[in-house]
Amino acid sequence: MRNKVCLLGGLLLASFTLKAQQTIFNVPSSDITPKRKILAQQQVDFSREEFRSSTTFNYGLGKNWEVGANLYNLEYMPQEGTWLHNDTTTQMPYAPLLLLNAQKVFDLTDEIHVGLGGHTGLNLAAEHHTKWLGFAYANLGGSFKDDRYKLVVGTYTGTRRYLGDGALVGAHLGFDIGIINQKFHVLGDWASGTHEYGQLIVGAEVYLTKHLPLAVGWRRNNENGDQGVVVQLTYTPK
Protein backbone atom coordinates (compact mmCIF):
# COMPACT_ATOMS: atom_id res chain seq x y z
CA MET A 1 0.00 0.00 0.00
CA ARG A 2 2.83 2.38 0.87
CA ASN A 3 4.46 1.77 -2.53
CA LYS A 4 1.19 2.53 -4.30
CA VAL A 5 0.79 5.78 -2.38
CA CYS A 6 4.35 6.82 -3.29
CA LEU A 7 3.79 5.97 -6.96
CA LEU A 8 0.52 7.92 -7.13
CA GLY A 9 2.07 10.87 -5.32
CA GLY A 10 5.00 10.93 -7.71
CA LEU A 11 2.74 10.84 -10.74
CA LEU A 12 0.58 13.62 -9.39
CA LEU A 13 3.67 15.77 -8.83
CA ALA A 14 4.89 14.94 -12.34
CA SER A 15 1.63 15.99 -13.91
CA PHE A 16 2.06 19.51 -12.58
CA THR A 17 5.81 19.94 -13.03
CA LEU A 18 6.99 17.87 -15.93
CA LYS A 19 6.51 16.91 -19.56
CA ALA A 20 3.70 16.78 -22.14
CA GLN A 21 2.44 14.41 -24.75
CA GLN A 22 3.37 14.99 -28.34
CA THR A 23 4.48 11.51 -29.41
CA ILE A 24 6.63 9.93 -32.10
CA PHE A 25 3.91 7.29 -32.42
CA ASN A 26 3.38 5.90 -28.94
CA VAL A 27 6.43 7.15 -27.01
CA PRO A 28 6.49 10.82 -25.94
CA SER A 29 8.93 12.93 -27.91
CA SER A 30 11.01 15.66 -26.30
CA ASP A 31 9.93 18.42 -28.67
CA ILE A 32 8.60 21.65 -27.15
CA THR A 33 5.78 23.74 -28.58
CA PRO A 34 7.05 27.30 -29.26
CA LYS A 35 5.90 30.08 -26.95
CA ARG A 36 2.26 31.15 -27.47
CA LYS A 37 1.79 28.53 -30.19
CA ILE A 38 -0.55 25.55 -30.32
CA LEU A 39 0.30 22.03 -31.44
CA ALA A 40 -2.43 19.50 -32.24
CA GLN A 41 -2.04 15.78 -32.86
CA GLN A 42 -4.67 13.21 -33.83
CA GLN A 43 -3.93 9.49 -33.91
CA VAL A 44 -6.15 6.54 -34.83
CA ASP A 45 -5.10 2.91 -34.26
CA PHE A 46 -6.90 0.40 -36.50
CA SER A 47 -7.08 -3.32 -35.68
CA ARG A 48 -9.54 -6.13 -36.32
CA GLU A 49 -11.22 -5.70 -32.95
CA GLU A 50 -11.29 -1.94 -32.46
CA PHE A 51 -10.50 1.57 -33.61
CA ARG A 52 -8.75 3.65 -30.93
CA SER A 53 -8.51 7.46 -31.10
CA SER A 54 -6.05 9.65 -29.17
CA THR A 55 -6.10 13.45 -29.38
CA THR A 56 -3.53 15.92 -28.00
CA PHE A 57 -3.37 19.71 -27.75
CA ASN A 58 -0.24 21.47 -26.42
CA TYR A 59 0.37 25.17 -25.72
CA GLY A 60 3.86 26.65 -25.47
CA LEU A 61 4.60 28.71 -22.37
CA GLY A 62 8.18 29.61 -23.24
CA LYS A 63 11.41 28.77 -21.38
CA ASN A 64 11.10 25.13 -22.53
CA TRP A 65 7.67 24.69 -20.91
CA GLU A 66 4.39 23.57 -22.41
CA VAL A 67 1.02 22.43 -21.09
CA GLY A 68 -1.81 20.59 -22.75
CA ALA A 69 -4.80 18.28 -22.71
CA ASN A 70 -5.38 14.77 -24.04
CA LEU A 71 -8.42 12.68 -24.91
CA TYR A 72 -7.10 9.11 -24.90
CA ASN A 73 -8.55 5.63 -25.43
CA LEU A 74 -11.69 6.65 -27.26
CA GLU A 75 -12.35 3.16 -28.61
CA TYR A 76 -15.00 1.91 -31.04
CA MET A 77 -15.60 -1.83 -31.51
CA PRO A 78 -17.02 -2.31 -35.04
CA GLN A 79 -18.02 -5.96 -34.58
CA GLU A 80 -20.24 -5.00 -31.65
CA GLY A 81 -21.20 -1.59 -33.00
CA THR A 82 -20.48 0.15 -29.68
CA TRP A 83 -18.02 2.43 -27.89
CA LEU A 84 -15.89 0.92 -25.13
CA HIS A 85 -16.36 2.14 -21.55
CA ASN A 86 -14.01 0.46 -19.09
CA ASP A 87 -14.00 1.38 -15.40
CA THR A 88 -13.90 -2.07 -13.79
CA THR A 89 -10.96 -4.17 -15.01
CA THR A 90 -7.23 -3.55 -15.41
CA GLN A 91 -6.88 -6.33 -17.98
CA MET A 92 -6.97 -3.31 -20.30
CA PRO A 93 -6.51 0.43 -19.60
CA TYR A 94 -9.51 2.42 -18.41
CA ALA A 95 -11.33 4.18 -21.24
CA PRO A 96 -12.01 6.81 -22.38
CA LEU A 97 -9.63 9.20 -20.58
CA LEU A 98 -9.49 12.98 -20.22
CA LEU A 99 -6.00 14.08 -19.18
CA LEU A 100 -4.01 17.22 -18.47
CA ASN A 101 -0.29 17.33 -19.17
CA ALA A 102 2.77 19.54 -18.78
CA GLN A 103 6.32 19.41 -20.10
CA LYS A 104 9.71 20.79 -19.15
CA VAL A 105 12.92 20.22 -21.11
CA PHE A 106 16.43 21.00 -19.86
CA ASP A 107 19.09 21.66 -22.51
CA LEU A 108 22.41 19.98 -21.71
CA THR A 109 24.11 21.02 -24.97
CA ASP A 110 22.93 22.44 -28.29
CA GLU A 111 22.00 18.90 -29.33
CA ILE A 112 21.28 16.94 -26.13
CA HIS A 113 18.46 17.56 -23.65
CA VAL A 114 16.57 15.93 -20.80
CA GLY A 115 12.78 15.89 -20.73
CA LEU A 116 10.69 15.09 -17.67
CA GLY A 117 6.98 14.66 -17.95
CA GLY A 118 3.61 13.17 -17.29
CA HIS A 119 -0.14 13.44 -17.62
CA THR A 120 -2.97 12.83 -15.22
CA GLY A 121 -6.76 12.79 -15.27
CA LEU A 122 -9.93 10.73 -15.03
CA ASN A 123 -11.88 8.18 -17.02
CA LEU A 124 -14.99 9.62 -18.68
CA ALA A 125 -18.55 8.30 -19.03
CA ALA A 126 -18.03 5.80 -16.22
CA GLU A 127 -20.79 3.27 -15.63
CA HIS A 128 -19.53 2.33 -12.16
CA HIS A 129 -16.54 4.37 -10.97
CA THR A 130 -14.61 7.47 -12.01
CA LYS A 131 -10.99 7.04 -10.93
CA TRP A 132 -7.82 9.12 -11.01
CA LEU A 133 -4.93 7.75 -13.07
CA GLY A 134 -1.61 8.94 -14.43
CA PHE A 135 1.63 8.35 -16.31
CA ALA A 136 5.12 9.87 -15.94
CA TYR A 137 8.48 9.53 -17.65
CA ALA A 138 12.03 10.85 -18.00
CA ASN A 139 13.72 11.05 -21.41
CA LEU A 140 17.18 11.74 -22.75
CA GLY A 141 16.81 13.18 -26.24
CA GLY A 142 19.05 14.33 -29.05
CA SER A 143 18.50 16.40 -32.21
CA PHE A 144 21.27 16.39 -34.80
CA LYS A 145 22.02 17.90 -38.22
CA ASP A 146 19.49 20.75 -37.91
CA ASP A 147 16.84 18.41 -36.42
CA ARG A 148 17.15 15.96 -39.31
CA TYR A 149 17.93 13.10 -36.90
CA LYS A 150 16.15 12.76 -33.57
CA LEU A 151 16.57 10.10 -30.90
CA VAL A 152 14.94 9.62 -27.51
CA VAL A 153 15.47 7.00 -24.80
CA GLY A 154 13.90 6.98 -21.37
CA THR A 155 11.99 5.32 -18.59
CA TYR A 156 8.32 5.47 -17.62
CA THR A 157 5.88 4.53 -14.87
CA GLY A 158 2.12 4.64 -14.60
CA THR A 159 -0.88 3.57 -12.60
CA ARG A 160 -2.53 0.22 -13.21
CA ARG A 161 -5.69 1.93 -14.51
CA TYR A 162 -3.67 3.77 -17.14
CA LEU A 163 -1.33 0.97 -18.29
CA GLY A 164 -3.36 -2.14 -17.52
CA ASP A 165 -1.97 -5.34 -16.02
CA GLY A 166 1.79 -5.72 -16.33
CA ALA A 167 4.94 -4.01 -15.07
CA LEU A 168 4.37 -0.47 -13.80
CA VAL A 169 7.95 0.61 -14.60
CA GLY A 170 9.67 0.18 -17.95
CA ALA A 171 11.84 1.63 -20.70
CA HIS A 172 11.03 3.20 -24.06
CA LEU A 173 12.88 4.62 -27.04
CA GLY A 174 12.18 6.24 -30.38
CA PHE A 175 13.73 7.71 -33.51
CA ASP A 176 12.82 10.16 -36.28
CA ILE A 177 15.04 10.31 -39.38
CA GLY A 178 14.53 12.92 -42.07
CA ILE A 179 15.32 11.14 -45.33
CA ILE A 180 14.26 14.35 -47.03
CA ASN A 181 13.99 16.75 -44.11
CA GLN A 182 10.47 18.08 -43.51
CA LYS A 183 9.35 16.17 -46.60
CA PHE A 184 9.74 12.44 -45.92
CA HIS A 185 10.74 10.84 -42.60
CA VAL A 186 11.18 7.31 -41.26
CA LEU A 187 10.22 6.99 -37.61
CA GLY A 188 9.40 4.47 -34.94
CA ASP A 189 9.27 3.72 -31.23
CA TRP A 190 9.16 0.84 -28.78
CA ALA A 191 8.12 0.51 -25.13
CA SER A 192 8.76 -2.45 -22.84
CA GLY A 193 5.95 -4.18 -20.98
CA THR A 194 3.12 -6.64 -21.61
CA HIS A 195 0.33 -4.06 -21.29
CA GLU A 196 -1.22 -1.80 -23.95
CA TYR A 197 1.68 0.68 -23.79
CA GLY A 198 4.21 -2.10 -24.45
CA GLN A 199 4.43 -2.23 -28.23
CA LEU A 200 6.55 -1.58 -31.31
CA ILE A 201 5.50 0.87 -34.03
CA VAL A 202 7.51 1.66 -37.17
CA GLY A 203 6.45 3.70 -40.17
CA ALA A 204 6.91 6.72 -42.40
CA GLU A 205 5.83 10.33 -42.38
CA VAL A 206 5.03 12.65 -45.28
CA TYR A 207 4.66 16.41 -44.91
CA LEU A 208 1.42 17.43 -46.60
CA THR A 209 2.44 21.03 -45.89
CA LYS A 210 5.25 22.59 -43.85
CA HIS A 211 3.12 22.40 -40.69
CA LEU A 212 1.08 19.24 -41.37
CA PRO A 213 2.94 15.90 -41.32
CA LEU A 214 0.96 12.68 -41.85
CA ALA A 215 2.46 9.46 -40.46
CA VAL A 216 1.41 5.85 -41.04
CA GLY A 217 2.88 2.98 -39.03
CA TRP A 218 2.67 -0.76 -38.40
CA ARG A 219 2.08 -1.74 -34.78
CA ARG A 220 2.84 -4.98 -32.91
CA ASN A 221 1.86 -5.59 -29.28
CA ASN A 222 4.58 -7.10 -27.07
CA GLU A 223 2.30 -9.44 -25.15
CA ASN A 224 0.33 -11.30 -27.80
CA GLY A 225 1.68 -10.11 -31.13
CA ASP A 226 -1.56 -8.32 -31.98
CA GLN A 227 -1.00 -6.11 -35.03
CA GLY A 228 -2.58 -2.97 -36.37
CA VAL A 229 -2.13 0.18 -38.41
CA VAL A 230 -1.56 3.59 -36.83
CA VAL A 231 -2.42 6.82 -38.68
CA GLN A 232 -1.24 10.09 -37.12
CA LEU A 233 -1.83 13.66 -38.29
CA THR A 234 -0.01 16.49 -36.52
CA TYR A 235 -0.31 20.24 -36.79
CA THR A 236 3.02 21.70 -35.73
CA PRO A 237 3.69 25.45 -35.56
CA LYS A 238 7.46 24.95 -36.09
Side-chain angles (χ1 to χ4, degrees):
M1 180 65 182
R2 182 178 180 182
N3 290 338
K4 291 182 178 179
V5 171
C6 291
L7 174 61
L8 295 180
L11 289 170
L12 183 60
L13 177 63
S15 71
F16 288 103
T17 61
L18 306 177
K19 189 180 175 182
Q21 264 52 67
Q22 179 188 357
T23 59
I24 298 172
F25 272 117
N26 190 40
V27 172
S29 72
S30 52
D31 292 334
I32 285 286
T33 305
K35 185 177 181 180
R36 298 179 181 173
K37 300 293 185 178
I38 294 175
L39 178 142
Q41 187 174 73
Q42 175 62 48
Q43 183 184 110
V44 182
D45 185 317
F46 298 92
S47 68
R48 294 180 180 179
E49 292 78 20
E50 64 184 12
F51 305 151
R52 184 192 302 114
S53 170
S54 299
T55 306
T56 295
F57 292 95
N58 289 336
Y59 180 76
L61 299 178
K63 297 183 179 180
N64 278 350
W65 278 93
E66 66 182 12
V67 295
N70 311 76
L71 179 59
Y72 277 2
N73 296 349
L74 186 60
E75 301 181 31
Y76 180 74
M77 296 176 289
Q79 295 180 357
E80 301 178 15
T82 185
W83 295 91
L84 175 66
H85 298 278
N86 177 35
D87 62 356
T88 58
T89 177
T90 56
Q91 290 181 343
M92 63 183 71
Y94 275 26
L97 307 178
L98 180 61
L99 309 170
L100 299 177
N101 63 58
Q103 171 170 265
K104 173 64 176 177
V105 166
F106 301 90
D107 292 322
L108 302 182
T109 70
D110 291 340
E111 297 180 330
I112 306 296
H113 48 268
V114 171
L116 302 174
H119 47 274
T120 185
L122 302 169
N123 55 305
L124 299 175
E127 297 179 2
H128 302 90
H129 305 288
T130 298
K131 296 291 186 178
W132 175 87
L133 40 78
F135 176 85
Y137 57 91
N139 283 342
L140 177 65
S143 298
F144 310 98
K145 300 292 184 180
D146 296 325
D147 291 339
R148 183 171 180 175
Y149 306 106
K150 296 182 180 180
L151 299 172
V152 61
V153 59
T155 184
Y156 72 86
T157 185
T159 62
R160 188 76 65 193
R161 300 184 190 103
Y162 181 90
L163 293 172
D165 290 342
L168 296 182
V169 178
H172 58 207
L173 56 89
F175 67 90
D176 183 339
I177 300 174
I179 304 299
I180 304 175
N181 200 27
Q182 293 191 331
K183 296 292 184 180
F184 178 76
H185 288 224
V186 174
L187 63 167
D189 54 34
W190 172 82
S192 67
T194 55
H195 36 58
E196 287 291 330
Y197 186 66
Q199 55 187 357
L200 168 71
I201 307 177
V202 291
E205 183 176 64
V206 175
Y207 278 69
L208 304 179
T209 71
K210 179 180 178 180
H211 302 288
L212 200 66
L214 173 66
V216 178
W218 167 78
R219 172 188 56 76
R220 186 182 188 279
N221 186 277
N222 293 344
E223 180 182 15
N224 54 24
D226 176 68
Q227 299 181 40
V229 174
V230 178
V231 178
Q232 180 173 274
L233 183 65
T234 305
Y235 170 75
T236 173
K238 292 185 178 181

